[in-house]
C-alpha cells in the first residue's frame, strides 16, 4: 500500500510506522470504542471484538488528518471515529470525508466542548455523525460537569446524537507520559497507567457511537453509513437539555434490537401454544416450529409462504416477507420455535405443555 511496516497503522505527523501515543487522548478514545472484553483488565469497549486501526496525526495540520482518513479508507476501515475538530471548514478534509463516505465508511466526530452552538469540522460535514456529550443524569454536559465556565457540550442543529461524556473510565498507555504527572480531579491522585477515570468531553462520547456502530456492522456488514446513522439516531433515549443535542442519547441495546428484530413475537400458553409472529421490516424472516405430537395450524398474510393448516405433521416452516403476519397454533407435549433472519438466529423458544 506504499507504507513500509505499517502493521499497526501509521503516524502521519512523523511519517513513521510507529503510531505510538505520546499524549494519551488517542488511547482513551480507542479504549472506549474497542477495549478487549472479559479479560478482567480495565474496561469493556463498546464494540466487542472490533479491530482498531491506529492513525496518528497532528491536530495542527488538516492535511495530515485528510491523509489519515484516506489511509484508513483505502486499508479497509469500516468506521472512522474523529475526536477532534477545527473551527473552520477545510476543503481537503471535506473531500476526504466524502471519499470515505462514498466507499461505505461510517464517520462520526465529536461536536466540541465550547458550550456554544458553533460549527466544528469535520463534525459539521454532511456525511459525518456529530456527537454531543451527556452526563450521568442524561443532561447536556455543562460547566458544572467539567469544572470550567467555558466548557460544556456544543449544541445546535448540527448535532445528530448525544452519548455519555462525563465521568468516563477508559484505558491509558502502559508506559509513562507527562499525562501521568497530572492530578486527576476525580480521584485526587496522579493519572495512572493502564486505566483510570479520565473525565469528560465529547471526545469520549464519539468513540461510544463508533463502538455501537461496530456492533451493528458485526451483525449486518451490508449496512450503509446512512442506515447505521438511522439505526443509531432513531433508537435512542431522551435527554434533558434546554438546547438541542441531537435525536437523543445513544442506546446500544435499542439500536441492536431494532436491527435484529423487525418482528414482534408473542407466545401464549395454556392447553396449547399460540405463537404470533409479525414481520415489520424489509427482510425475509424464517420461522420454524416443531412439536412432538398432534397438530400445527398456520395462518399467513398475503406475503407469507408456507401457511397451513398442517395436520398431523410434527414440523412447520414459514418464510415471512415484509409485510407479512404469520399465526401458528400448536398443540402437543413439547416443542420449539426458531426464528432466523439473514441466517442469524434471533429467537429460540422451547415450550412444554400438557393436554
Amino acid at each position: 500500500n506504499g507504507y513500509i511496516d505499517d502493521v499497526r497503522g501509521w503516524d502521519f505527523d512523523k511519517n513513521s510506522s510507529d503510531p505510538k501515543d505520546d499524549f494519551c487522548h488517542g488511547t482513551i478514545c480507542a479504549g472506549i470504542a474497542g477495549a478487549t472484553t472479559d479479560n478482567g483488565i480495565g474496561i469493556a469497549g463498546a464494540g466487542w471484538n472490533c479491530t482498531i486501526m491506529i492513525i496518528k496525526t497532528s491536530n495542527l495540520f488538516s492535511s495530515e488528518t485528510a491523509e489519515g482518513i484516506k489511509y484508513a479508507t483505502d486499508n479497509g476501515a469500516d468506521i472512522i471515529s474523529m475526536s477532534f475538530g477545527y473551527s473552520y471548514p477545510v476543503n481537503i478534509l471535506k473531500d476526504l470525508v466524502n471519499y470515505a463516505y462514498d466507499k461505505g465508511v461510517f464517520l462520526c466526530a465529536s461536536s466540541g466542548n465550547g458550550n456554544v452552538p458553533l460549527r466544528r469540522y469535520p463534525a459539521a460535514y454532511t456525511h459525518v455523525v456529530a456527537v454531543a456529550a451527556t452526563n450521568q443524569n442524561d443532561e447536556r454536559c455543562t460547566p458544572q460537569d467539567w469544572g470550567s465556565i467555558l466548557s460544556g457540550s456544543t449544541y445546535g442543529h448540527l448535532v445528530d446524537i448525544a452519548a455519555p461524556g462525563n465521568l468516563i473510565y477508559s484505558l491509558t498507555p502502559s508506559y509513562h507520559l507527562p499525562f501521568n504527572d497530572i492530578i486527576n480531579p476525580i480521584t485526587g491522585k496522579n493519572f495512572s497507567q493502564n486505566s483510570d477515570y479520565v473525565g469528560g468531553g465529547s471526545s469520549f462520547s464519539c468513540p461510544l457511537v463508533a463502538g455501537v456502530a461496530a456492533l451493528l456492522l458485526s451483525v449486518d456488514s451490508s449496512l450503509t453509513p446512512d442506515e447505521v446513522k438511522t439505526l443509531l439516531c432513531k433508537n435512542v433515549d431522551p435527554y434533558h437539555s434546554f438546547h438541542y443535542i441531537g435525536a437523543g442519547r445513544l442506546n446500544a441495546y435499542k439500536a441492536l434490537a431494532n436491527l435484529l428484530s423487525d418482528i414482534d413475537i408473542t407466545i401464549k400458553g395454556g392447553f396449547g401454544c399460540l405463537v404470533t409472529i409479525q414481520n415489520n421490516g424489509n427482510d425475509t424472516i424464517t420461522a420454524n416450529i416443531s412439536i412432538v405430537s398432534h397438530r400445527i395450524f398456520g395462518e399467513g398474510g398475503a406475503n407469507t409462504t408456507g401457511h397451513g393448516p398442517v395436520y398431523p405433521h410434527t414440523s412447520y416452516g414459514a418464510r415471512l416477507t415484509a409485510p407479512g403476519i404469520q399465526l401458528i397454533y400448536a398443540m402437543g407435549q413439547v416443542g420449539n420455535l426458531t426464528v432466523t433472519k439473514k441466517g442469524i438466529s434471533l429467537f429460540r423458544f422451547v415450550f412444554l405443555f400438557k393436554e
Side-chain angles (χ1 to χ4, degrees), residues 120-179:
R120 298 275 291 174
Y121 300 88
Y125 290 132
T126 301
H127 297 312
V128 177
V129 173
V131 186
T134 54
N135 64 17
Q136 62 276 19
N137 299 313
D138 281 335
E139 302 165 335
R140 182 179 72 89
C141 287
T142 65
Q144 285 70 35
D145 297 302
W146 294 343
S148 168
I149 193 172
L150 299 177
S151 64
S153 178
T154 295
Y155 55 89
H157 69 277
L158 69 92
V159 179
D160 296 298
I161 193 170
N166 192 51
L167 299 177
I168 298 298
Y169 194 88
S170 188
L171 307 183
T172 53
S174 58
Y175 46 89
H176 186 86
L177 288 173
F179 174 83

Side-chain angles (χ1 to χ4, degrees), residues 20-22 173-182 190-191 193:
K20 187 176 181 180
D21 191 355
D22 52 17
S174 58
Y175 46 89
H176 186 86
L177 288 173
F179 174 83
N180 302 118
D181 299 325
I182 301 173
N190 286 6
F191 281 101
Q193 295 174 197

Side-chain angles (χ1 to χ4, degrees), residues 7-336:
V7 293
R8 290 175 293 180
W10 196 260
D11 183 341
F12 285 89
D13 184 34
K14 299 175 182 177
N15 195 30
S16 165
S17 62
D18 181 16
K20 187 176 181 180
D21 191 355
D22 52 17
F23 182 65
C24 196
H25 185 267
T27 302
I28 293 169
C29 294
I32 293 168
T36 301
T37 61
D38 295 330
N39 64 354
I41 302 173
I43 67 166
W48 290 25
N49 296 322
C50 66
T51 301
I52 302 292
M53 183 188 299
I54 306 171
I55 310 295
K56 183 180 176 183
T57 70
S58 167
N59 206 31
L60 297 176
F61 303 103
S62 55
S63 59
E64 288 182 10
T65 303
E67 286 184 88
I69 293 173
K70 187 175 189 303
Y71 174 94
T73 302
D74 291 345
N75 285 278
D78 298 303
I79 298 164
I80 298 179
S81 179
M82 300 173 285
S83 290
F84 59 86
Y86 302 97
S87 58
Y88 50 88
V90 182
N91 287 337
I92 189 173
L93 185 59
K94 181 180 180 180
D95 290 343
L96 268 300
V97 161
N98 291 339
Y99 174 79
Y101 171 83
D102 289 340
K103 295 285 187 178
V105 178
F106 173 81
L107 302 102
C108 57
S110 54
S111 64
N113 305 325
N115 203 34
V116 289
L118 292 181
R119 289 178 173 270
R120 298 275 291 174
Y121 300 88
Y125 290 132
T126 301
H127 297 312
V128 177
V129 173
V131 186
T134 54
N135 64 17
Q136 62 276 19
N137 299 313
D138 281 335
E139 302 165 335
R140 182 179 72 89
C141 287
T142 65
Q144 285 70 35
D145 297 302
W146 294 343
S148 168
I149 193 172
L150 299 177
S151 64
S153 178
T154 295
Y155 55 89
H157 69 277
L158 69 92
V159 179
D160 296 298
I161 193 170
N166 192 51
L167 299 177
I168 298 298
Y169 194 88
S170 188
L171 307 183
T172 53
S174 58
Y175 46 89
H176 186 86
L177 288 173
F179 174 83
N180 302 118
D181 299 325
I182 301 173
I183 298 296
N184 185 336
I186 300 172
T187 64
K189 302 177 182 180
N190 286 6
F191 281 101
S192 64
Q193 295 174 197
N194 297 312
S195 60
D196 204 346
Y197 283 103
V198 293
S202 60
S203 281
F204 307 150
S205 306
C206 179
L208 277 173
V209 171
V212 176
L215 287 179
L216 296 174
L217 288 173
S218 73
V219 174
D220 187 349
S221 60
S222 71
L223 292 172
T224 67
D226 288 342
E227 289 172 332
V228 172
K229 178 181 178 180
T230 297
L231 284 164
L232 292 172
C233 293
K234 287 193 174 182
N235 296 283
V236 291
D237 283 345
Y239 56 75
H240 308 286
S241 174
F242 178 78
H243 300 292
Y244 182 78
I245 51 172
R249 194 259 296 147
L250 177 73
N251 187 313
Y253 174 80
K254 286 183 178 179
L256 279 168
N258 185 271
L259 172 62
L260 285 171
S261 55
D262 289 330
I263 58 178
D264 294 322
I265 295 181
T266 58
I267 296 182
K268 295 181 180 180
F271 179 68
C273 180
L274 175 64
V275 181
T276 305
I277 306 172
Q278 180 168 344
N279 186 359
N280 302 316
N282 297 316
D283 296 307
T284 297
I285 303 296
T286 300
N288 295 291
I289 188 168
S290 61
I291 62 172
V292 169
S293 64
H294 292 285
R295 60 180 180 265
I296 304 172
F297 287 95
E299 296 180 15
N303 296 305
T304 306
T305 60
H307 47 282
V310 180
Y311 178 82
H313 284 275
T314 58
S315 63
Y316 178 86
R319 293 173 58 82
L320 288 69
T321 56
I325 298 176
Q326 177 69 35
L327 302 178
I328 300 174
Y329 177 68
M331 291 178 60
Q333 297 167 335
V334 62
N336 66 74

